[in-house]
């Protein structure tokens, strides 16, 4: 049952699995170097809108049918750089200074992609442990498993930040390195949400599916916003920083809570803590996605207004608001089909 549930969730990230193939092609440090400036945002390999020649805006010439990326855009891909901003106070004053010193412990020959995959392996091991002890996303696991889960989340966060620092330190950053980093982030979106659903004992229910769906949709919306704006913008409180730290705290705290605490209704409220947490995450996720969609809408208007002369026909079409909206259709269609399947599955995948 649990394996079937996992299969449903992993279908969303199936195309990201191809990035792991490219990872093995990039294990050794490539000779190409990158510029030294960078945002401290998620500290992945540096990116920027590939069309600096179009006023700094992203070159939205991805055709809807035919080749995934145009010939002109593929040529500019070699000059692709990271551009982003992260206003997290925790990152600025606590974690980033630690990462800046810790990355110096890595030998110069260590490939940044190996750091990326090592970070992913921490949460993957957590996934295996929880599958062994809680195969149906409910029940109890030993305290040391929950403590390891929390530390694994923090380790993933640290390694995800330090891979980009290692790339700049050794001059080995590349767009392909970004693909590996972002691909692992996408896979971790599923892995960590399943782990969290297991820790707070949501079970094989629609609540677990909702927890994953909010996270996956948020990741998708943030990535699409970056495509149109050319920048990954993270606010004072965001998922890659405070969100992961809160998740780690939940895992570690569970090790010291009584068995069944997450499913015991709160006095006076009549709702268990896991449902309260799910509601809070859902509201926060939907608000964040609303901001992402607003930024996409503003970006499409700005692109058409500032590049009315230089934009090609494909670029003008891609920058239309309705075209940007249709890019959510595959995600929504997949979510609808998966919901129909799990709700009316002959094998009864869900229990509530």
């Amino acid at each position: 049952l649990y394996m079937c549930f996992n299969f449903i969730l992993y279908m969303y990230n199936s195309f990201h699995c191809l990035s792991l193939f490219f990872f093995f092609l990039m294990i050794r440090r490539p000779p190409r170097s990158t510029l030294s400036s960078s945002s401290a945002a998620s500290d992945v390999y540096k990116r920027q809108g590939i069309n600096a020649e179009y006023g700094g805006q992203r070159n939205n010439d991805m055709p809807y049918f035919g080749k995934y990326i145009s010939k002109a855009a593929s040529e500019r891909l070699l000059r692709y750089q990271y551009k982003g901003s992260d206003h997290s106070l925790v990152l600025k004053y606590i974690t980033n200074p630690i990462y800046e010193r810790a990355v110096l412990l890595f030998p110069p020959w260590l490939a940044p992609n190996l750091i990326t995959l090592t970070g992913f392996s921490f949460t993957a091991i957590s996934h295996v442990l929880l599958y062994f002890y809680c195969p149906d996303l409910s029940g109890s696991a030993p305290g040391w498993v929950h403590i390891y889960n929390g530390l694994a989340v923090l380790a993933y966060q640290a390694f995800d930040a330090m891979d980009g620092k290692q790339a700049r330190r050794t001059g080995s950053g590349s767009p392909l390195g970004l693909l590996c980093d972002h691909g692992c982030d996408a896979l971790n979106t599923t892995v960590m949400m399943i782990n969290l659903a297991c820790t707070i004992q949501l079970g094989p229910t629609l609540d677990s599916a909702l927890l994953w769906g909010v996270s996956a949709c948020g990741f998708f919306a943030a990535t699409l916003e970056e495509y149109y704006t050319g920048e990954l913008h993270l606010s004072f409180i965001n998922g890659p920083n405070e969100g992961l730290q809160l998740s780690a705290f939940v895992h570690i705290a569970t090790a010291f809570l009584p068995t069944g605490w997450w499913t015991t209704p709160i006095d006076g409220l009549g709702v268990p803590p896991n449902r309260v947490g799910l509601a809070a995450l859902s509201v926060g996720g939907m608000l964040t996605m609303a901001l992402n969609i607003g930024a996409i809408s503003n970006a499409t208007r700005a692109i058409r207004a500032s590049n009315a002369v230089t934009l090609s026909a494909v670029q003008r079409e891609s920058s239309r608001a309705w075209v940007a909206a249709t890019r959510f259709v595959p995600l929504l269609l997949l979510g609808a089909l998966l919901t129909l399947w799990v709700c009316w599955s002959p094998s009864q995948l869900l229990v509530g």
Side-chain angles (χ1 to χ4, degrees):
L1 174 65
Y2 184 55
M3 293 179 66
C4 291
F5 188 72
N6 278 352
F7 175 75
I8 297 172
L9 302 186
Y10 285 134
M11 286 178 63
Y12 169 76
N13 290 312
S14 59
F15 79 96
H16 288 294
C17 294
L18 295 176
S19 66
L20 297 182
F21 167 76
F22 291 110
F23 162 78
F24 290 104
L25 300 181
M26 294 287 294
I27 284 291
R28 70 175 180 84
R29 182 166 60 91
R32 183 179 294 114
S33 61
T34 58
L35 300 177
S36 58
S37 60
S38 171
S39 164
S42 60
D43 256 318
V44 294
Y45 301 98
K46 305 181 311 166
R47 297 176 280 172
Q48 184 179 350
I50 31 185
N51 67 326
E53 63 269 35
Y54 289 111
Q57 293 289 342
R58 172 136 350 226
N59 183 16
N60 298 297
D61 57 353
M62 183 175 72
Y64 228 96
F65 300 100
K67 294 183 178 180
Y68 183 75
I69 189 171
S70 68
K71 181 179 179 181
S74 63
E75 293 174 351
R76 286 191 295 273
L77 186 61
L78 297 177
R79 303 193 298 273
Y80 190 53
Q81 298 173 269
Y82 177 81
K83 182 180 180 182
S85 59
D86 192 332
H87 301 286
S88 170
L89 298 179
V90 174
L91 175 72
K92 181 178 180 180
Y93 294 107
I94 300 177
T95 56
N96 194 59
I98 296 175
Y99 301 154
E100 292 285 357
R101 296 187 179 185
V103 73
L104 300 178
L105 300 177
F106 294 135
W109 51 262
L110 184 64
N113 289 335
L114 185 57
I115 299 175
T116 303
L117 192 60
T118 301
F120 176 73
S121 68
F122 291 122
T123 52
I125 293 174
S126 295
H127 198 67
V128 173
L129 290 173
L130 289 174
Y131 170 74
F132 180 79
Y133 286 103
C134 308
D136 61 350
L137 299 180
S138 62
S140 60
W144 67 268
V145 172
H146 293 299
I147 293 176
Y148 171 79
N149 291 342
L151 296 178
V153 171
L154 296 177
Y156 159 73
Q157 183 183 49
F159 277 64
D160 187 49
M162 290 188 290
D163 55 6
K165 297 181 184 297
Q166 176 77 348
R168 290 185 293 278
R169 175 190 173 206
T170 58
S172 57
S174 70
L176 189 56
L178 168 65
L179 179 63
C180 295
D181 183 286
H182 211 54
C184 285
D185 289 342
L187 290 172
N188 252 327
T189 300
T190 292
V191 171
M192 289 195 296
M193 287 303 102
I194 296 177
N195 292 351
L196 184 61
C198 184
T199 294
I200 64 177
Q201 302 178 19
L202 288 177
T205 66
L206 284 177
D207 290 340
S208 296
L210 177 61
L211 179 64
W212 166 79
V214 170
S215 178
C217 291
F219 187 95
F220 185 94
T223 303
L224 190 61
E225 177 190 344
E226 184 185 2
Y227 170 75
Y228 277 99
T229 63
E231 179 179 357
L232 177 64
H233 174 75
L234 298 175
S235 61
F236 291 97
I237 299 177
N238 56 72
N241 290 290
E242 289 78 9
L244 290 181
Q245 290 150 13
L246 178 60
S247 175
F249 173 78
V250 168
H251 284 298
I252 295 175
T254 302
F256 303 96
L257 293 174
T259 302
W261 184 85
W262 286 106
T263 57
T264 302
I266 301 174
D267 293 338
L269 189 60
V271 179
N274 58 2
R275 300 295 296 276
V276 175
L278 176 62
L281 288 174
S282 299
V283 172
M286 287 186 289
L287 290 176
T288 301
M289 282 186 283
L291 295 176
N292 295 141
I293 294 172
I296 293 171
S297 177
N298 293 334
T300 55
R301 289 197 298 267
I303 292 172
R304 293 196 307 273
S306 60
N307 299 315
V309 178
T310 57
L311 287 179
S312 66
V314 175
Q315 291 170 336
R316 285 195 298 271
E317 190 71 14
S318 181
S319 299
R320 295 182 183 276
W322 71 267
V323 173
T326 60
R327 300 198 187 280
F328 286 94
V329 171
L331 175 67
L332 297 176
L333 181 60
L334 176 61
L337 292 176
L338 294 180
T339 301
L340 291 174
W341 183 39
V342 299
C343 289
W344 286 277
S345 170
S347 57
Q348 298 180 348
L349 292 176
L350 301 183
V351 297

